[in-house]
Amino acid sequence: TAAIEGLVPDSHQHLVPLGPDPAIFHPEPEERRRQRERLGLQDDDIVIGAATALRPIKKLEDFIAAITELGRRNPRVVGLIAGGAIVGDEAYRDMIHDRITASQMGNRLRWLGHLEPIAPFLQALDVFVSTSVYETFGNSVCEAMACGLPVVAYKGGSVQEVVGDAGYVHDNGDVGALTRSLALLVDDVSERSWAGLQAQRQIGRAHV
């Protein structure tokens, strides 16, 4: 730009997009097939995922509670968590591990650990969930929406603004409402398709 012309060589300048890079985050059917196969998922599994570091503010115990309830109703529901454990929050990591074990869902509810890049993981999902009670921007939500995933989330600071009316946003901590919205998407494939398209359009408008 003009502000750094002659000061910083062009080779050292990099454009960092505000929000998800559409060249990386977009629906990829073939990548979806590969990732689901890699994760041992069936074609008719309904895969609900979260991508976040394991910190108390992320309220992943609410995600686990919702998936456990949905799994009791529908054996095709699978819950996946992608995200690394944080130094200093080992007790929270252990609690999440224990709750996953206590759900007795086995391979249908898994913590996959830190994944990088995250785009392939998103391709494997049918629905994205954010249970964070506060986000300054909500980048993971934006990335999921750009991949055409319907989003069910807590208001979480900026998340309600990012999602707008293109998803299902509930008060922080309202696990019942979170679960009901997820149940709607689990039971109705046309609703999943519509909500995913709305999410992708919402992110597209944000980049205009």
Side-chain angles (χ1 to χ4, degrees):
T1 66
I4 57 174
E5 187 175 355
L7 299 175
V8 180
D10 291 349
S11 61
H12 287 68
Q13 297 181 36
H14 303 280
L15 177 65
V16 179
L18 179 60
D21 184 344
I24 298 173
F25 296 97
H26 59 269
E28 292 190 64
E30 183 57 28
E31 183 66 16
R32 171 184 169 85
R33 183 195 64 77
R34 285 195 297 267
Q35 292 302 319
R36 288 173 74 99
E37 183 177 287
R38 183 182 68 82
L39 291 166
L41 300 167
Q42 303 300 312
D43 290 343
D44 59 346
D45 284 340
I46 304 164
V47 186
I48 303 171
T52 180
L54 271 61
R55 302 174 56 204
I57 197 173
K58 304 300 185 177
K59 296 290 285 183
L60 284 166
E61 59 269 32
D62 289 5
F63 174 85
I64 292 168
I67 296 298
T68 302
E69 176 60 28
L70 293 167
R72 293 192 186 105
R73 307 178 194 175
N74 188 328
R76 296 267 48 96
V77 168
V78 175
L80 299 177
I81 300 170
I86 301 298
V87 174
D89 284 327
E90 290 85 0
Y92 185 75
R93 174 204 61 199
D94 294 344
M95 182 270 285
I96 291 299
H97 178 271
D98 290 346
R99 293 206 180 190
I100 290 173
T101 301
S103 74
Q104 298 185 324
M105 289 186 65
N107 215 35
R108 292 169 55 215
L109 178 55
R110 287 178 267 167
W111 170 41
L112 303 176
H114 176 73
L115 298 180
E116 187 66 36
I118 197 63
F121 168 74
L122 295 174
Q123 297 297 334
L125 305 182
D126 295 292
V127 181
F128 186 83
V129 175
S130 172
T131 49
S132 177
V133 298
Y134 185 75
E135 294 287 337
T136 55
F137 181 68
N139 200 52
S140 64
V141 173
C142 292
E143 292 169 348
M145 293 171 71
C147 288
L149 293 175
V151 171
V152 181
Y154 287 160
K155 289 180 176 178
S158 65
V159 172
Q160 59 186 323
E161 299 170 11
V162 169
V163 177
D165 59 2
Y168 307 81
V169 180
H170 303 291
D171 290 337
N172 292 346
D174 193 342
V175 183
L178 189 86
T179 305
R180 287 191 293 273
S181 290
L182 286 170
L184 173 64
L185 293 169
V186 165
D187 294 340
D188 191 338
V189 65
S190 63
E191 181 70 12
R192 288 204 303 274
S193 297
W194 178 86
L197 182 59
Q198 292 299 109
Q200 195 175 9
R201 285 174 174 169
Q202 173 86 339
I203 291 300
R205 286 194 295 269
H207 275 78
V208 172

